[in-house]
Amino acid sequence: MTLVAILSGAGISTDSGIRDYRGPDGLWRRDPEAEKLVTYASYMADPDIRRRAWLMRRDAAVLAAEPNAAHRAVAELDRTPGTAVRVLTQNVDGLHQLAGLPGRKVLELHGTAREVVCTGCDARSPMAVALERVEAGEDDPACRECGGILKPATVMFGQALDPAVLGAAMEIARAAEVFVAVGSTLQVQPAASLAGIAAEHGARLIVVNAEPTPYDALAEEVVREPIGTALPALLKRLG
Ligand code: ZN
């Protein structure tokens, strides 16, 4: 069994119409007002920020996005005999799972935008239900269990990554025989260190990204072509 780890960043979801909000050049980093909507301290402190954040979530329509050829190719590789796939993703869109990859094979480093979590009691519920409440006129829907403040089950700026998820991701990076970094600038943690760990532990490192990354020199192969065509071709070859 060959363990193929796939680290995916914003670039894999661009073809699904999802913009890079979080990356170094992402919208949230360029616009201080937008950044507040996804920064934990300001979100918790200011009801007006929360009202704007709910409208942003409603308008971003992440829940309506569909997986693209690259997501499907990853799921397809996992169905290839002799190959085990694990995805470590910086994305919160859930598109790897929607493409057919079992959820237990996807580690969401930054959480998921498909659920909300209560900051009071940790109860989770679907984002779709919370957005329906917003549509129905609740401008800052509260937890139905305890009345606490709801937020997306994503890691906001100012929040720590889940240590259990990060630990599992590092273990996969150490064990992988092939490590494909796709659509990630590899400039932010933990993505950068995961690629480094994989290379140190002898994985064949393959980088698929439009722009150069700090790990290109360590990579066995660097692919600059568009992800939607390049990744399916590459994974077919690996399978
Ligand atoms: Zn609650």
Side-chain angles (χ1 to χ4, degrees):
M1 198 61 111
T2 305
L3 177 59
V4 180
I6 297 185
L7 172 70
S8 65
I12 199 172
S13 291
T14 311
D15 284 351
S16 294
I18 296 177
R19 293 175 61 188
D20 178 11
Y21 291 101
R22 191 185 179 106
D25 301 316
L27 182 68
W28 290 339
R29 292 297 191 187
R30 285 184 285 109
D31 177 353
E33 281 307 305
E35 185 167 356
K36 279 186 200 162
L37 307 183
V38 289
T39 298
Y40 187 74
S42 16
Y43 186 84
M44 293 303 287
D46 186 346
D48 186 50
I49 298 261
R50 292 199 294 279
R51 284 193 280 271
R52 284 161 50 205
W54 283 111
L55 294 178
M56 171 190 73
R57 285 169 208 139
R58 185 194 65 184
D59 296 342
V62 169
L63 298 187
E66 305 265 357
N68 64 55
H71 299 107
R72 288 193 295 272
V74 172
E76 178 68 35
L77 179 63
D78 184 57
R79 291 191 287 267
T80 306
T83 308
V85 169
R86 293 292 182 277
V87 167
L88 322 173
T89 188
Q90 298 173 277
N91 301 336
V92 297
D93 53 38
L95 293 181
H96 284 291
Q97 297 93 317
L98 273 188
L101 193 64
R104 64 188 170 81
K105 299 187 176 183
V106 183
L107 289 172
E108 297 176 304
L109 299 165
H110 293 148
T112 177
R114 291 185 179 269
E115 288 184 336
V116 295
V117 62
C118 174
T119 55
C121 72
D122 287 332
R124 281 180 171 242
S125 52
M127 172 63 82
V129 172
L131 290 180
E132 277 165 22
R133 293 173 64 189
V134 174
E135 278 299 331
E138 287 184 70
D139 57 6
D140 181 20
C143 174
R144 278 177 165 153
E145 306 292 326
C146 76
I149 294 172
L150 294 182
K151 67 178 281 297
T154 55
V155 178
M156 285 182 159
F157 292 135
Q159 284 193 291
L161 300 185
D162 181 335
V165 174
L166 186 57
M170 286 171 143
E171 208 169 290
I172 289 165
R174 279 191 291 267
E177 285 147 280
V178 182
F179 189 96
V180 184
V182 52
S184 170
T185 58
L186 300 181
Q187 282 174 28
V188 288
Q189 295 301 347
S193 55
L194 290 168
I197 288 168
E200 270 169 36
H201 286 77
R204 290 169 54 196
L205 179 63
I206 302 174
V207 175
V208 185
N209 198 54
E211 305 296 327
T213 81
Y215 287 87
D216 291 1
L218 280 178
E220 182 183 289
E221 192 175 342
V222 177
V223 180
R224 297 250 179 273
E225 278 80 62
I227 292 167
T229 47
L231 192 71
L234 171 76
L235 297 187
K236 199 159 197 186
R237 195 146 50 80
L238 288 178

